[in-house]
Amino acid sequence: MLSKDYVRWFSDIRVSDVALVGGKNASLGELYATLSQEGVRVPNGFALTAEAYRDALTAANAWEPLHRLLDSLDKSDTKSLAKCAAQAREIVYQATASETLREQIIRGYRQLEAEYGADLAVAVRSSATAEDLPSASFAGQHESFLNVRGVDALFEACRRCFASIFTDRAISYRVDNGFDHFKVFLSVGVMKMVRSDRAASGVMFTLDTESGFRDVVFITGVYGLGENIVQGTVDPDEFYVHKPTYRAGSRAVLSRALGGKQLRMIYAEGGGIKNVPVPEAERERYCLTDAEVLTLAGEAITIEDHYSKNAGHPMPMDIEWAKDADDGRLYIIQARPETVISQRQPTAFETYALGAAGEVLASGRAVGEKIAAGPVRVIAGGADLSAFKPGDVLVAESTTPDWEPIMKIAAGIVTERGGRTCHAAIVARELGIPAVVGATDAKRALKTGAMVTVSCAEGDIGRVYAGALPIQKTHIELSTVKRPRTEIMLNLGNPELAFRSAMIPNDGVGLARMEFIISEHIKIHPMALVNPEKVVSEKARAEIQRLVKNYAKPADYFIEKLSEGVGMIAAAFYPRPVIVRLSDFKTNEYARLLGGEGFEPKEENPMLGFRGAARYAHPAYAEGFALECAALRRVRDDMGLTNVRIMVPFCRRVEEARRVLDAMAGHGLNRGDRGLEIYVMCEIPNNVIQIDAFAELFDGFSIGSNDLTQLTLGVDRDSEIVAFDFDERDPGMLEMFRLAVTGAKRNRRHIGICGEAPANYPDVARFLTKLGIDSISVNPSSVLRTMQVVSDAESGA
């Protein structure tokens, strides 16, 4: 007969009580009891202890029949698994029908009603004693019930939660992870529901879920209840906040991406939940304001600090949040240690690359950094699972926990719905296989049996290519890499690669190019945003209006997008220096941007024409340059990323340099303010000849070996007829390098190189090293090889 007190209120629970109330409830109690005074809001609730589960089964003599069902069960026999699991759930359900347990649940519910109001809606969640551990998440293995009202419905939901310890997927998960079915027990949490059905909710992590980069909070959000994110039925909004600068007092969203948010999960009449479509106008707005994103980020940092202090080591967290439509406040409804990315301790650096181009059949958000090929297997529902074979590429609208047995044997996963915190993404990350989520129309574009290549190694966008493309994989043991005295920096233009690139041994970014951000993320000519009425093409005008419609001014679109792109790179390497080169498109490249043809002259030789420094103070581009400066000022001043240095490209003459610096100062970028350093590219012979004069105006130089070689040797490297004469190892070029390095050192100015020569030719790297160059900047794939060459040169090898 049940007679003990099986109810524990959150205020009496701590994180150490996992054995008593399971991982989920122990964490909720810790949050509620210890962090409420620090501004972290957690709805009140109570837990039914694991002892209630054990005692109920003992009183009902249920252990022996459960052993008979499970002791010799072969989980690979899916029919037998389903049958035995259903019988086990029924045994637990019947065993927990105790009137004493019912009375305790009613008493707890009445107490919550006294605090929050009659007919209170509560969430009822399972909490296993081996759940939310750093080594095992048990995510999605047991049942939860939302919008439960009234004592009868609550008692039923609690019994269903207890029984869900024996779902098919939970049994399979325990077997795979070495847990004894009879040493894992279930507690049930009952918590006041936040009215996020009429507001928003989501998930956030205190690291980047793809690269494992630790210095950001990654926040996802949707309208309505957050189950849609986990289930992958919608594409959420995504936000990043940089932790080091937040701690230092800067309050700015680092970057944001608008999700589809196709459905809103709301309360159903009479209890339960349902999905309804989200109107187009709401989908085009973010579900959170910047102020709310920053509030959540601050709470995430507080939670991570608390758990890390208790653990005695950094403890990245996986946190669920919800916004209440009634009081407008944000609540934390769950926090657990992140159990996949944070557990990786890389001893080697692996990169994947495609060995050939291919036709893109589908694209979405990339999960992981790998590439895999295999035949497509479209899964429309559970009836299709038996046809799945090892090495198939799983293609579906979304995935569920019941599909995990086939996901474990998949070469890759492609879903039409979901973001980077949906079920498919979480499992793919845990399994170490590439996944592309939110790939619209994938089921139509990808046919069962067709061979495809799933690539997640090209940045934020994951692509599915036709055919089995060649895959190039490199593997370097980090223990073998020697760090030289000479700084080895990275050339980078794609913000989506910044976090993972920052984790390679490096000394910062020697060249951060704006061009990729402008062409791929902004897509619009800056002058078309300043003077939209001058855009010639009606088609371009309509597309520009579509892109900027949610901004107060068209120019704000450019400033936000460029600052976020640069900010992602700067945050990834903070506090190491990031040298950002001002835009260096040629006129024919600028003309290809939306609306660009009406603002660019037609030139016979754009390489020597209206490019680089010549544009910035010129009336034809000065207003566009003002937008570039505003974006960089936002990165340094608002985001607090003062590690950004600015570099002026293709600066022909000293007088031109003065005009550019005056223009920058006029836009709030004064050399020396808040430590701002301004560099100049050393890529024109006059930069070398006049290096003493340029050194009076700039803090450093970066040799652009590509243009410097073309202009020194008089060779167009893109010409098929004379390109063979393009050679950075020519004696004349080596002398140019020598003059540049010695000239900069004579003036006590930083001197680096950001061209391709040191990566392509180890003898050039050795030559520059012996000259005493301060830094060598190469593409991420060449960093470790270049470090080895430079280390050998420094040691005289």
Side-chain angles (χ1 to χ4, degrees), residues 46 105 109 122 124 148-158 190:
F46 61 87
I105 291 170
Y109 182 66
V122 293
V124 182
V148 178
R149 295 172 184 270
V151 293
D152 293 335
L154 177 56
F155 185 47
E156 173 71 10
C158 290
V190 178

Side-chain angles (χ1 to χ4, degrees), residues 113-140:
E113 282 188 311
E115 181 175 353
Y116 291 114
D119 197 32
L120 174 70
V122 293
V124 182
R125 299 183 186 274
S126 308
S127 179
T129 56
E131 190 172 49
D132 291 344
L133 306 177
S135 57
S137 67
F138 279 78

Side-chain angles (χ1 to χ4, degrees), residues 41 98 138 140 153 182 227 356 379 484 622 645 671 692:
R41 294 188 179 90
S98 157
F138 279 78
F182 300 100
E227 298 297 302
I379 301 293
R645 302 172 185 176
R671 180 182 166 207
D692 295 324

